[in-house]
C-alpha cells in the first residue's frame, strides 16, 4: 500500500477524550479516496458511494502525524473500489482500516459514467506518453 498523504493531529481534531475524533479521520479518508479516484479516473466528478466495515485499531493524539494509504482493489465499469489504511507515521501502528471504499465516476449531469480504466496509472507515465 502506498501512503500518499500525511496529516498532523491538532487540538481542533480531538474528541473529549483528547484523541483523534473518528469523524475527522473519516473525513480525511473520504477526501483522500476522492482525490486518488479523480487522478486515476481523470475526472473531477467522482463521488463516494459506499464505505464498508471500518475498523478502529488504535488512536492518535495531539501532535501525532498520521499517514493515509490507499490502494485499488478493483476497477468496475463506472466505479473504482479502494482499500485504506491509516497509520501513525512514527510508529507505523495502524489506526484504522477500511476494507472497501466504492467511488463512482460521474458525467456532467451527475449520472454514473463508464471510465474505461482497467489498471492503476501513474501521472508520470501519462506525461511521458505525450
Amino acid at each position: 500500500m502506498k501512503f500518499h498523504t500525511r496529516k498532523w493531529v491538532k487540538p481542533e481534531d480531538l474528541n473529549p477524550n483528547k484523541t483523534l475524533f473518528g469523524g475527522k479521520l473519516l473525513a480525511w479518508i473520504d477526501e483522500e479516496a476522492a482525490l486518488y479516484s479523480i487522478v486515476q479516473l481523470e475526472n473531477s466528478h467522482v463521488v463516494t458511494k459506499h464505505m464498508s466495515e471500518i475498523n478502529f485499531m488504535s488512536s492518535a493524539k495531539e501532535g501525532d502525524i498520521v499517514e493515509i494509504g490507499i490502494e485499488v482493489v478493483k476497477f468496475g465499469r463506472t466505479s473504482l473500489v479502494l482499500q485504506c489504511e491509516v497509520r501513525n507515521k512514527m510508529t507505523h501502528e495502524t489506526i484504522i482500516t477500511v476494507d472497501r471504499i466504492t467511488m463512482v465516476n460521474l458525467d456532467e449531469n451527475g449520472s454514473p459514467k463508464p471510465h474505461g480504466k482497467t489498471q492503476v496509472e501513474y501521472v508520470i507515465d501519462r506525461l511521458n506518453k505525450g
Side-chain angles (χ1 to χ4, degrees):
M1 181 167 301
K2 293 193 178 195
F3 290 81
H4 302 277
T5 299
R6 295 179 185 142
K7 296 286 190 177
W8 186 19
V9 180
K10 298 178 273 191
E12 59 267 25
D13 304 324
L14 304 178
N15 62 28
N17 296 319
K18 304 289 185 211
T19 58
L20 179 58
F21 175 56
K24 175 64 94 172
L25 182 53
L26 290 172
W28 289 345
I29 290 169
D30 192 36
E31 180 179 34
E32 183 66 18
L35 293 171
Y36 186 91
S37 299
I38 287 165
V39 171
Q40 280 302 304
L41 302 178
E42 299 182 86
N43 179 12
S44 61
H45 301 287
V46 175
V47 294
T48 307
K49 179 180 190 314
H50 175 77
M51 276 193 185
S52 71
E53 179 176 325
I54 297 163
N55 188 8
F56 287 93
M57 303 173 81
S58 66
S59 59
K61 59 186 184 316
E62 182 179 344
D64 284 350
I65 298 169
V66 300
E67 53 185 0
I68 303 170
I70 296 276
E71 69 182 7
V72 176
V73 174
K74 177 181 130 181
F75 284 88
R77 191 175 72 81
T78 63
S79 65
L80 182 61
V81 181
L82 307 171
Q83 185 175 44
C84 177
E85 177 185 352
V86 179
R87 66 184 185 186
N88 183 302
K89 173 65 180 161
M90 305 311 279
T91 66
H92 284 204
E93 183 177 18
T94 299
I95 297 168
I96 189 174
T97 59
V98 184
D99 292 333
R100 300 283 185 272
I101 304 170
T102 303
M103 305 299 293
V104 177
N105 192 57
L106 302 177
D107 65 17
E108 58 280 347
N109 298 317
S111 298
K113 170 185 166 185
H115 51 67
K117 305 288 184 173
T118 58
Q119 65 184 23
V120 173
E121 294 178 340
Y122 299 95
V123 173
I124 190 73
D125 296 328
R126 290 183 194 147
L127 294 173
N128 288 335
K129 284 181 189 175

